[in-house]
């Protein structure tokens, strides 16, 4: 297992981010704003009310958590792979007192930090579009951090198996993007047949969208406890698996 | 006292036995050389000693600590200069050193002072806030060496530290390594360069195809395997066979390196008179580790020819 030294890897990524953020970070916020404007206001004018809300109000929670997820996947697939294979940065670091597990845990918690930053930034932007109905909304950044750990772990799992950068094109087309469209971000899952609805709950973005929406609405049900627990289980499983697979990959 | 002890250490990549049952002891404070051509298994061996590559079999102890059960304690003592350049290109030159120091838990202020000092010693201080991409190949290698020393290691492990350096920079590195030894830092040095091994190392292990073929001080290796001097006889395809035959009938020891025949243990006067006339060119020179390597393997250090 990893030790507190994961913090050293996290600090390294933070330092690099602080040096280069102005070239990278704006992109992760501009796209969701465009989506909010185009879908929320443009499409929303045709859609009218969803679940008794303006369309833009309906999609804001989903946009926040999906773009947090996108930034995690960018960081922990392409970014991690680049550091690992192109730059051989991990090889250098595992020759210090940090272990492979420390390095990978550092990457995962850094990915989660990116999720926190992206989630919070879009939240601030979204607040300009709509009224906040519930004080629970202040917990959205914490939730971003929480599911950020899960998505980072899943992303690193893919990275640990990836033979090349091309692999990630498939990860995005077959996993990340379908989740974005089928996890209840743009329309309630109840539009689907029951079978598809149940299947949709396998995708880890679905519980995340439901929880985020619950924070915006300030209404909680038993399903949200299940969602939080499900996220925890998926996180533990993929966190552990990523550490094991990365040790195998990096210590040859 | 031996500070690095490996016993029956082996490493396999698929069907290739890269390190074959190596047992060696590096004494505290010495500079220990691993001399061998590309593919000899030097890097594979030291990657195991630096805990980044698990052995197929065998044990490693560093300063009395078992590496397998306490890799972190061992790694904390080591300063590693890898063969491949894995500088952190996302960070500046000085940040490479301070960030690395942080992996060792060195406080920020100390790391900064040490980083600046190392940059000064290796003549990189002007590049301190520059980006890694702005460095020449030689400067990158110097920075790798500086990085390996930032934790003031008890043992420095250097994998071909001067490869690709111009002679002047190479001498700067040699000077720093000599100084490091004077401070009592143990060094394990991989090299393909026999001059480097002869200049820096107290003891040299000649490595070939995963095995240690011979191990001693450079002078002792030379004395044991080739003798003090080598008389190089330049030969042509026309007279080569005859020269070889003459030497053999006179019972004179020699190495056949193709376009030269290296005659061992004799000087010009002791050479058969018949041979003096045929040889187009004779050159007497001190024997080197290169000759030792050729004697032991029938190959030159420049590398394995394809088989
Ligand atoms: N990761 C690896 N996978 C497969 N083969 C390897 C790997 N690393 C080294 N080898 C092989 O092991 C042998 C020894 O290599 P190496 O230890 O790098 O030698 P040296 O450092 O002396 O040049 C070579 O034949 C090399 O091709
Ligand atoms: Mg090597």
């Amino acid at each position: 297992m990893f030790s507190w030294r994961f913090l050293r890897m996290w600090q390294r990524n933070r330092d690099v981010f602080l040096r280069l953020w102005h070239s990278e970070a704006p992109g992760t916020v501009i796209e969701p704003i465009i989506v909010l404007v185009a879908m929320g206001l443009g499409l929303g004018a045709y859609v009218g009310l969803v679940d008794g809300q303006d369309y833009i109000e309906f999609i804001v929670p989903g946009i926040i958590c999906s773009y947090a997820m996108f930034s995690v996947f960018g960081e922990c697939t392409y970014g991690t792979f680049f550091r690992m294979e192109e730059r051989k940065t991990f090889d250098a670091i595992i020759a210090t007192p940090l272990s492979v597990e420390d390095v990978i845990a550092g990457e995962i918690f850094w990915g989660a930090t990116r999720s926190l930053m992206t989630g919070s930034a879009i939240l601030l932007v979204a607040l300009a579009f709509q009224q906040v109905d519930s004080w629970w909304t202040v917990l959205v950044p914490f939730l971003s951090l929480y599911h950020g750990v899960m998505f980072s772990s899943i992303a690193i799992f893919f990275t640990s198996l990836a033979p090349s950068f091309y692999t990630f094109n498939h990860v995005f087309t077959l996993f990340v993007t379908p989740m974005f469209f089928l996890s209840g971000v743009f329309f309630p899952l109840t539009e689907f047949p029951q079978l598809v609805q149940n299947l949709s709950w396998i995708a880890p973005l679905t519980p995340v969208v439901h929880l985020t929406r619950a924070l915006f609405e300030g209404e909680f049900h038993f399903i949200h406890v299940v969602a939080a627990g499900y996220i925890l289980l998926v996180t533990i499983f993929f966190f552990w698996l990523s550490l094991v697979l990365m040790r195998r990959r990096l210590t040859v | 006292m031996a500070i690095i002890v490996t016993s029956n250490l082996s490493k396999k990549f698929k069907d290739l036995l890269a390190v074959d049952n190596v047992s060696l002891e590096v004494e505290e404070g010495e500079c220990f050389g691993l001399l061998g051509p590309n593919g000899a298994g030097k890097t594979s061996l030291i990657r195991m000693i630096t805990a980044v590559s698990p052995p197929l079999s065998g044990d490693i102890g560093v300063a009395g600590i078992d590496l397998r059960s306490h890799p972190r304690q061992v790694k904390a003592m080591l300063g590693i200069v890898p063969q491949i350049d894995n500088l952190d290109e996302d960070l500046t030159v000085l940040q490479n050193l301070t960030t690395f120091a942080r992996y060792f838990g060195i406080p920020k202020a100390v790391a900064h002072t040490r980083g600046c000092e190392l940059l000064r010693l290796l003549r990189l201080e002007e590049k301190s806030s520059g980006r890694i991409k702005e460095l020449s190949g030689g400067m990158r290698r110097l920075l790798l060496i500086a990085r390996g020393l930032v934790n003031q290691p008890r043992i420095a492990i250097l994998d071909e530290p001067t490869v690709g350096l111009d002679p002047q920079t190479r001498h700067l590195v040699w000077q720093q390594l000599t100084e490091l030894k004077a401070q009592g830092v143990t060094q394990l040095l991989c090299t393909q360069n026999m001059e480097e091994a002869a200049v820096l190392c107290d003891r040299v292990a000649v490595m070939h195809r995963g095995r240690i073929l011979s191990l001693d001080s450079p002078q002792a290796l030379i004395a044991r395997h080739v003798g003090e001097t080598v008389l190089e006889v330049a030969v042509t395809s026309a007279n080569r066979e005859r020269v070889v035959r003459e030497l053999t009938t006179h019972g004179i020891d020699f190495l056949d390196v193709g376009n030269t025949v290296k005659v061992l243990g004799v000087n010009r006067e002791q050479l058969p008179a018949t041979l003096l006339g045929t040889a187009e060119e004779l050159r007497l020179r001190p024997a080197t580790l290169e000759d030792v390597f050729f004697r032991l393997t029938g190959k030159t250090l420049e590398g394995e020819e394809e088989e």
Side-chain angles (χ1 to χ4, degrees):
Chain A
M1 266 300 119
F2 69 102
S3 74
W4 60 269
R5 286 182 178 79
F6 81 86
L7 203 59
R8 305 297 183 207
M9 184 68 209
W10 184 91
Q11 286 171 319
R12 181 257 169 221
N13 288 341
R14 177 205 58 194
D15 291 350
V16 173
F17 181 80
L18 290 179
R19 237 168 65 87
L20 305 171
W21 70 273
H22 45 270
S23 64
E24 217 192 303
T28 58
V29 185
I30 289 166
E31 191 181 315
I33 295 174
I34 292 171
V35 173
L36 275 180
V37 171
M39 307 287 266
L41 300 180
L43 186 63
Y46 289 90
V47 174
L49 298 181
V50 178
D51 279 359
Q53 293 171 305
D54 276 340
Y55 187 58
I56 188 160
E57 282 190 32
F58 178 81
I59 64 170
V60 157
I63 294 294
I64 290 176
C65 52
S66 347
Y67 276 89
M69 171 187 77
F70 281 128
S71 67
V72 163
F73 266 84
E75 184 72 37
C76 292
T77 58
Y78 292 103
T80 299
F81 191 87
F82 185 70
R83 288 188 279 281
M84 175 168 73
E85 292 295 333
E86 297 292 310
R87 291 280 173 79
K88 303 285 179 196
T89 307
F90 298 172
D91 285 340
I93 302 175
I94 62 175
T96 73
L98 273 74
S99 64
V100 172
E101 288 78 9
D102 299 334
V103 168
I104 299 307
E107 289 283 297
I108 290 174
F109 289 117
W110 173 250
T113 309
R114 291 298 305 270
S115 175
L116 168 71
M117 291 191 284
T118 309
S120 308
I122 306 169
L123 175 66
L124 288 178
V125 173
L127 292 181
F129 286 87
Q130 66 164 110
Q131 298 275 311
V132 191
D133 299 324
S134 152
W135 278 104
W136 288 101
T137 311
V138 300
L139 293 183
V140 167
F142 294 96
L143 182 59
S144 304
L145 190 63
Y146 180 56
H147 65 70
V149 180
M150 172 178 73
F151 287 126
S152 303
S153 302
I154 296 173
I156 299 259
F157 158 75
F158 285 120
T159 307
S160 72
L161 299 175
S164 78
F165 279 111
Y166 296 112
T167 316
F168 302 128
N169 297 348
H170 301 308
V171 171
F172 275 81
T173 29
L174 299 176
F175 182 70
V176 181
T177 311
M179 276 204 295
F180 181 50
F181 288 113
L182 302 175
S183 295
V185 175
F186 294 106
F187 46 87
L189 288 179
T190 45
E191 299 296 323
F192 287 135
Q194 191 61 42
L195 177 69
V196 182
Q197 280 188 45
N198 294 346
L199 284 176
S200 169
W201 272 87
I202 297 171
L205 183 59
T206 304
V208 170
V209 172
H210 278 72
L211 273 177
T212 313
R213 195 164 281 140
L215 289 181
F216 271 84
E217 292 171 357
E219 269 180 50
F220 301 95
H221 304 285
F222 180 65
I223 190 76
H224 298 119
V225 179
V226 175
Y230 178 64
I231 293 172
L232 183 65
L233 287 181
V234 174
T235 304
I236 291 171
F237 176 71
F238 280 99
F239 195 109
W240 166 80
L241 194 59
S242 296
L243 262 48
V244 170
L245 292 174
M246 278 298 196
R247 166 156 289 273
R248 199 177 296 172
R249 178 167 185 148
L250 288 168
T251 58
V252 285
Chain B
M1 193 198 85
I3 194 162
I4 303 176
V5 180
T6 77
S7 37
N8 309 106
L9 202 56
S10 295
K11 178 79 194 178
K12 213 168 184 175
F13 296 109
K14 300 223 170 69
D15 290 334
L16 179 88
L17 198 54
V19 176
D20 186 0
N21 208 27
V22 166
S23 300
L24 52 82
E25 298 196 351
V26 177
E27 299 296 322
E28 174 136 42
E30 77 172 330
C31 176
F32 187 100
L34 282 171
L35 178 70
N38 251 330
K42 306 181 296 296
T43 300
S44 305
L45 175 59
I46 64 156
R47 278 174 55 82
M48 291 190 282
I49 297 176
T50 54
V52 293
S53 161
L56 171 71
S57 59
D59 291 306
I60 304 164
V62 178
I65 301 173
D66 177 47
L67 182 84
R68 209 186 302 262
S69 43
H70 300 98
R72 231 194 265 287
Q73 284 90 319
V74 170
K75 287 193 291 180
M77 283 188 275
L78 306 179
I80 294 162
V81 179
Q83 182 175 5
I84 55 156
D85 176 344
N86 54 24
L87 291 170
D88 201 328
E89 291 187 34
D90 292 328
L91 302 171
T92 67
V93 169
L94 181 60
Q95 270 183 322
N96 258 271
L97 302 183
T98 52
T99 304
F100 222 71
R102 192 163 58 199
Y103 300 139
F104 286 89
I106 296 165
K108 204 171 179 172
V110 180
H112 186 84
T113 318
R114 255 188 227 172
C116 293
E117 172 66 10
L118 282 165
L119 290 182
R120 197 180 56 74
L121 282 177
L122 291 168
R123 317 228 170 115
L124 289 169
E125 70 262 62
E126 277 171 26
K127 300 284 175 184
S128 175
S129 55
R131 307 198 39 176
I132 300 301
K133 281 200 159 57
E134 298 162 16
L135 301 184
S136 69
M139 289 171 172
R140 292 177 71 118
R141 203 131 264 289
L142 288 175
L143 185 58
L144 270 180
I145 294 170
R147 193 186 70 177
L149 300 177
V150 82
N151 61 322
Q152 298 190 327
R154 192 167 158 198
I155 305 167
I157 296 187
L158 306 119
D159 197 350
E160 308 203 17
T162 61
V163 82
L165 292 186
D166 61 80
Q168 199 186 344
T169 317
R170 175 177 303 152
H171 279 95
L172 171 65
V173 171
W174 287 356
Q175 184 196 329
Q176 294 301 329
L177 294 183
T178 309
E179 214 139 282
L180 206 60
K181 199 169 87 92
Q183 292 163 20
V185 177
T186 308
Q187 292 172 36
L188 175 56
L189 173 79
C190 293
T191 183
Q192 307 189 38
N193 181 324
M194 54 99 184
E195 193 191 349
E196 181 161 283
V199 168
L200 295 175
C201 298
D202 299 300
R203 289 194 303 151
V204 172
V206 179
M207 195 165 179
H208 185 57
R209 296 192 184 157
R211 293 216 176 136
I212 307 281
L213 300 182
S214 195
L215 166 63
D216 215 322
S217 69
Q219 304 84 329
L221 282 175
I222 291 168
R224 183 180 333 151
H225 296 288
V226 282
E228 255 170 49
T229 56
V230 170
L231 188 66
E232 286 193 348
V233 184
V235 290
T236 62
S237 48
N239 66 6
R240 177 160 165 269
E241 208 174 308
R242 210 169 63 77
V243 172
V244 167
R245 187 155 21 90
E246 289 267 355
L247 288 169
T248 315
T249 48
H250 283 85
I252 294 171
D253 200 5
F254 67 94
L255 302 173
D256 184 358
V257 198
N259 55 0
T260 4
V261 171
K262 296 178 175 180
V263 183
L264 309 178
V266 294
N267 54 34
R268 197 184 297 253
E269 288 69 43
Q270 291 165 306
L271 215 56
T274 44
L275 210 74
L276 269 175
T278 60
E280 276 147 30
E281 211 180 294
L282 294 175
R283 193 165 74 86
L284 188 69
R285 58 160 177 84
T288 66
L289 287 171
E290 174 86 47
D291 305 315
V292 172
F293 189 80
F294 192 86
R295 154 112 306 170
L296 291 171
T297 64
K299 303 214 157 48
T300 60
L301 270 172
E302 271 72 64
E304 296 259 40
E305 50 269 40
E306 293 302 314
E307 283 160 59

